[in-house]
Amino acid sequence: MFKELDPILHSQLRLAVMSLLIGVKEAEFTYLKEKTNATAGNLSVQIQKLKEAEYIEVVKQFKDNYPQTICKITTKGIGAFETYVNALQDYLNIK
Amino acid sequence: MFKELDPILHSQLRLAVMSLLIGVKEAEFTYLKEKTNATAGNLSVQIQKLKEAEYIEVVKQFKDNYPQTICKITTKGIGAFETYVNALQDYLNIK
DNA sequence: GTAAAGTAGTTTATAAAATAAACCAAATTA
DNA sequence: TAATTTGGTTTATTTTATAAACTACTTTAC
């Protein structure tokens, strides 16, 4: 009846980040921060968790003298997201 | 863009309980435990939280000599569930 | 009738997660 | 050159989720 909900994705901020990345395929830390209204600290932690899970790739570089963190969803991440959305259907009574 | 996800509902077990209660309108503790595969302890705690939030009503009585806990969703609970489901759409990219 | 096992939970303790606050390093602006 | 801003990270605190232990019976088996 109720499938397990991937705990990595069942988090408001991480889910929002994944949702954004699915759309754009690549995004800056600052962009994600703005779109999600998260604090930088929280976002930093959650991005690391998504990276550890290999749901996203993170590249750190410099742009116009400032550090820049770029995030990109992985194939694994896309799959996990789809599985999560699917599992959720059971909970939402979307028949 | 991303609405707040009600933290009371954004929990796997509490969401499952609410999902079940929306369907049947009234259910025993043991039924919920069986359907959700939760441990009794976990379920007990989560039911109390739903009750404190006034998303469900809980009646304790005896049936065939044994204690029986009956849960019933409230109007407030139904509203909260619908709001939650709605908010989630943004995160799931269901266009 | 009493010991063992089962029912239906609750309470307490522990682990994991989310969040906020503090901090760091460098760049910019005044 | 001091203050402020950018773009973060790290650490500490609070909140959640979960598991383990416990309570209060009832039923079954001897």
Side-chain angles (χ1 to χ4, degrees):
Chain A
M1 175 76 205
F2 295 107
K3 296 161 198 148
E4 277 299 300
L5 294 179
D6 183 345
I8 292 163
L9 292 183
H10 196 63
S11 141
Q12 181 163 330
L13 183 49
R14 288 196 296 269
L15 191 62
V17 167
M18 291 292 282
S19 176
L20 286 169
L21 290 180
I22 284 241
V24 301
K25 298 288 178 185
E26 180 166 312
E28 292 179 33
F29 184 98
T30 51
Y31 172 83
L32 295 173
K33 179 170 178 292
E34 188 189 308
K35 286 286 181 183
T36 60
N37 286 314
T39 60
N42 193 9
L43 184 57
S44 179
V45 171
Q46 306 314 328
I47 280 177
Q48 286 210 30
K49 290 199 178 174
L50 289 172
K51 184 191 169 191
E52 276 163 35
E54 297 179 320
Y55 287 1
I56 65 171
E57 270 166 25
V58 178
V59 176
K60 283 165 199 295
Q61 56 192 27
F62 275 83
K63 190 197 172 190
D64 300 335
N65 286 333
Y66 285 112
Q68 184 189 41
T69 300
I70 289 193
C71 302
K72 197 173 181 173
I73 199 164
T74 62
T75 308
K76 188 175 176 184
I78 293 172
F81 188 83
E82 283 168 359
T83 300
Y84 174 80
V85 172
N86 233 298
L88 250 190
Q89 310 296 313
D90 300 341
Y91 293 80
L92 303 186
N93 291 357
I94 301 173
K95 288 134 194 163
Chain B
M1 176 76 204
F2 294 107
K3 296 161 197 149
E4 276 300 300
L5 294 179
D6 183 345
I8 293 163
L9 293 183
H10 197 63
S11 139
Q12 180 162 332
L13 183 48
R14 289 195 296 269
L15 190 62
V17 168
M18 291 293 282
S19 177
L20 286 169
L21 290 179
I22 282 240
V24 301
K25 297 287 179 186
E26 180 166 311
E28 292 179 32
F29 185 98
T30 50
Y31 172 83
L32 295 173
K33 180 171 177 292
E34 188 189 307
K35 286 286 181 183
T36 59
N37 287 312
T39 61
N42 192 8
L43 184 57
S44 179
V45 171
Q46 306 313 328
I47 279 177
Q48 286 210 32
K49 290 199 178 174
L50 288 172
K51 185 190 169 190
E52 276 164 34
E54 296 178 323
Y55 287 1
I56 66 171
E57 271 167 25
V58 178
V59 176
K60 283 163 199 297
Q61 56 192 28
F62 275 82
K63 190 197 173 191
D64 301 334
N65 286 334
Y66 285 112
Q68 184 189 43
T69 300
I70 289 193
C71 302
K72 196 172 183 174
I73 199 163
T74 63
T75 309
K76 188 175 176 183
I78 294 171
F81 188 82
E82 283 167 0
T83 301
Y84 174 79
V85 172
N86 233 297
L88 249 191
Q89 311 296 314
D90 300 340
Y91 292 80
L92 304 187
N93 290 357
I94 301 172
K95 288 133 195 166

